[in-house]
Amino acid sequence: MGRALTYDRARLRPHAAHLGVGAFHRAHQQGYYDDLARAGGDWGVVGINLTPPDLSAAHAAQGGVYSVLTEDGTTSTCRDIGTLVQLHDAGAAALVDWTDITFATLTITEKGYCHRSGSRALDPARVAADLAAPETPATAIGYLAWMLERRRRDGGGPITLASCDNVADNGRLLAAVLGDYADRAFAGLLPWIEANVAFPTSMVDRIVPAMAPAGRARLEAARGAADALGVVAEPFRQWVIEDRFAAARPALETAGVQVVDDLAPHEHMKHRLLNGLQSAYAELGRLCGHAGSHGASTDPVLAAWAKVFLAAQAETLDCPEGEDLQAYGRTSLRRLQNPTIHHPLNQIASDASFKLPQRIAAPAAERLERGQSAEVQAMVLAGWALQAGDDTPDAGGVVTTDPMGAEMARLRAAATGAEDLAGAVLGLPIWPDRLRRDSGFAADTTRWLRAFAEPDADRRRARIDDFARERMNA
Ligand code: NAI
Ligand code: CS2
């Protein structure tokens, strides 16, 4: 496939939308839309950002076209993307015409749903300002409810809202928080939503780190021009979406998207193997002195530990139709060793309080329920408990942010020792009850809090090495 567009952008109709036009969307969903357009399709995407970055001026300045640089250490391809037909920053979101939009996706980050982490419950504190002024919403949930209320009042038709964030059962989560908010904010809207809006769950996958100066330099050299929206990504991509739609949608399956009845096995496989390993490297890799995913994934001690971790995670999975879990695990390891993908561990560790429940805690609880050890998962949670809230920038200036960061710093300061800290951390409402009730898991967590409290990174790494060797020889 050549770099340049092969279609007339004027032919594209603004009948799809996306909330959260970040690096991932620009590299992932937009690639599928661009494939459809190159094959003669006419779906164009109206992009909306409710929080920074403000990209609409840059989007206009470069004619709405940007590039994706795909690299894997041997090949490098630069491809123009032209299907983002509009891009609106937060201040202009209210001006977007949703009349003809029938299919919308979201990548607004795990915390963007205003829910209580580890549940599908709306967190009223996160939407209090919007509930007080529902006609001028600031949150994604408030904005979608405001948009649907207009649609209802104007006699608008059905629409599909497809979350694509890395949260458990993202379609059910969006339906739950949006329904609760709508019922509080607009009388009569909830029954309309229940009759006119579909919320399919999606599993989406492509490693797309935040753009760094070196990546931008390579992309602009390949493109031969500046590109404020350009992104660098790995070649791998996957999109699996539940067959649940309310209205017209792009023929995603013709671009390789899998449309399935049972999404859960696909989601669990990705969240627990690839994402779980990324979070494990984010916590244990930094304890071993690594700053990036590549360094952690090519560290022989962590690579050996990863095999034990992936085996334990895989035992909690049902294999999705058409997949091979061992092969998927090997592919995940290889993807993370891509030398051109510089994924800061501080970025992956960000919002971990909204990531670890589905990636680490849920499989741990299932293993405990079966009478199996969950020590590898306890190691990751112990690493998080000791590092959450640490906003020390890495060498590239990337800092870890987490809504629970300050609380975790307070828990560490107040703890009388490792056992006390383990009790406080496992008592947090974001984890399944099973973890709280399990003395063995608490003992494992305590043990690794003590081990990781060791000030020397090499000694921490040696403890991980001893554990992996012991498990591999068991
Ligand atoms: P990014 O930082 O480039 O973009 C984040 C996007 O989310 C921006 O458009 C921003 O406006 C929006 N956003 C952030 N906080 C928000 C909030 N509280 N309410 C509403 N909108 C908010 O991040 P990126 O790489 O685009 O990732 C976004 C999400 O996509 C991730 O959190 C994850 O759920 C999903 N994803 C990311 C992958 C990746 O490798 N980057 C891969 C697979 C899924
Ligand atoms: C990463 C994900 O930052 C993170 O949470 O684990 O963005 C990961 O790169 C994607 O889910 C890969 O598809």
Side-chain angles (χ1 to χ4, degrees):
M1 178 190 302
R3 193 196 114 199
L5 300 185
T6 59
Y7 53 88
D8 176 1
R9 295 186 73 239
R11 189 172 49 76
L12 302 176
R13 302 175 303 137
H15 290 181
H18 186 84
L19 219 52
V21 182
F24 175 72
H25 172 69
R26 301 200 301 273
H28 182 271
Q29 285 102 351
Q30 282 298 328
Y32 288 99
Y33 280 106
D34 194 71
D35 286 347
L36 292 176
R38 289 171 187 255
D42 62 359
W43 284 81
V45 182
V46 175
I48 302 158
N49 277 333
L50 295 176
T51 71
D54 289 345
L55 294 173
S56 61
H59 177 262
Q62 49 192 80
V65 179
Y66 65 91
S67 298
V68 177
L69 181 66
T70 301
E71 300 180 310
D72 64 2
T74 50
T75 59
S76 171
T77 58
C78 187
R79 167 191 179 176
D80 283 355
I81 300 281
T83 41
L84 185 61
V85 294
Q86 296 176 30
L87 182 49
H88 303 271
D89 297 330
L95 305 177
V96 172
D97 180 359
W98 281 79
T99 309
D100 296 329
I101 293 171
T102 59
F103 180 76
T105 48
L106 294 79
T107 49
I108 55 173
T109 75
E110 292 84 344
K111 63 184 178 300
Y113 294 82
C114 301
H115 66 297
R116 297 186 195 282
S117 179
S119 82
R120 289 196 195 122
L122 180 71
D123 181 349
R126 297 276 305 280
V127 293
D130 282 0
L131 288 172
E135 295 299 329
T136 53
T139 67
I141 302 309
Y143 175 75
L144 288 173
W146 173 88
M147 177 276 289
L148 293 172
E149 174 61 4
R150 249 129 227 78
R151 202 175 181 99
R152 180 185 75 87
R153 287 181 188 163
D154 299 346
I159 185 171
T160 297
L161 298 180
S163 167
C164 292
D165 279 290
N166 286 329
V167 288
D169 204 348
N170 50 35
R172 299 301 167 283
L173 172 63
L174 179 57
V177 293
L178 185 53
D180 185 354
Y181 179 93
D183 204 29
R184 298 174 191 231
F186 299 107
L189 179 57
L190 179 55
W192 187 91
I193 289 175
E194 289 166 344
N196 290 281
V197 184
F199 298 94
T201 289
S202 271
M203 178 275 262
V204 292
D205 193 358
R206 191 173 197 184
I207 298 175
V208 185
M211 192 60 134
R216 187 173 301 286
R218 294 200 306 276
L219 180 141
E220 295 185 346
R223 173 180 163 85
D227 187 348
L229 281 78
V231 285
V232 176
E234 64 167 339
F236 182 96
R237 72 175 191 176
Q238 187 174 16
W239 186 356
V240 188
I241 188 169
E242 188 181 9
D243 191 358
R244 180 191 293 261
F245 305 98
R249 65 170 177 89
L252 295 168
E253 54 271 66
T254 62
V257 175
Q258 297 157 262
V259 180
V260 302
D261 293 328
D262 183 7
L263 199 284
H266 297 272
E267 174 192 293
H268 289 165
M269 176 183 69
K270 194 251 181 173
H271 283 182
R272 297 181 183 187
L273 297 186
L274 179 87
N275 289 151
L277 187 55
Q278 287 178 300
S279 286
Y281 280 151
E283 302 305 339
L284 273 57
R286 292 183 297 164
L287 288 170
C288 294
H290 296 290
S293 183
H294 178 255
S297 62
T298 51
D299 178 328
V301 167
L302 291 175
W305 179 87
K307 290 187 171 59
V308 179
F309 173 79
L310 288 173
Q313 296 279 91
E315 284 176 349
T316 70
L317 298 174
D318 295 325
C319 188
E321 191 176 337
E323 292 284 356
D324 172 328
L325 291 177
Q326 277 60 45
Y328 186 90
R330 289 192 297 273
T331 301
S332 296
L333 277 167
R334 191 175 66 248
R335 288 171 61 194
L336 295 175
Q337 291 169 349
N338 180 336
T340 59
I341 294 296
H342 300 291
H343 208 167
L345 297 179
N346 278 359
Q347 179 188 351
I348 299 171
S350 289
D351 296 341
S353 61
F354 279 81
K355 298 175 180 178
L356 298 184
Q358 57 272 20
R359 299 182 183 191
I360 303 295
E366 290 173 21
R367 289 184 61 82
L368 294 171
E369 203 59 40
R370 296 172 181 164
Q372 295 172 316
S373 164
E375 187 168 4
V376 283
Q377 289 88 1
M379 293 170 77
V380 181
L381 290 193
W384 175 73
L386 289 174
Q387 301 177 98
D390 177 350
D391 57 5
T392 308
D394 66 12
V398 178
V399 297
T400 297
T401 57
D402 188 309
M404 288 190 68
E407 182 176 355
M408 290 307 294
R410 282 196 299 275
L411 287 183
R412 285 195 296 274
T416 57
E419 188 170 356
D420 185 41
L421 180 57
V425 171
L426 297 179
L428 292 171
I430 63 175
W431 314 124
D433 279 341
R434 191 68 179 76
L435 299 195
R436 254 187 290 290
R437 291 189 278 107
D438 195 288
S439 59
F441 191 76
D444 286 341
T445 306
T446 302
R447 183 179 322 117
W448 287 102
L449 283 170
R450 286 199 182 101
F452 292 156
E454 157 66 55
D456 182 84
D458 289 338
R459 292 176 59 85
R460 295 194 290 258
R461 185 170 174 272
R463 291 294 303 272
I464 296 169
D465 189 25
D466 293 344
F467 171 85
R469 290 175 187 276
E470 176 197 310
R471 283 299 176 89
M472 302 284 271
N473 297 330

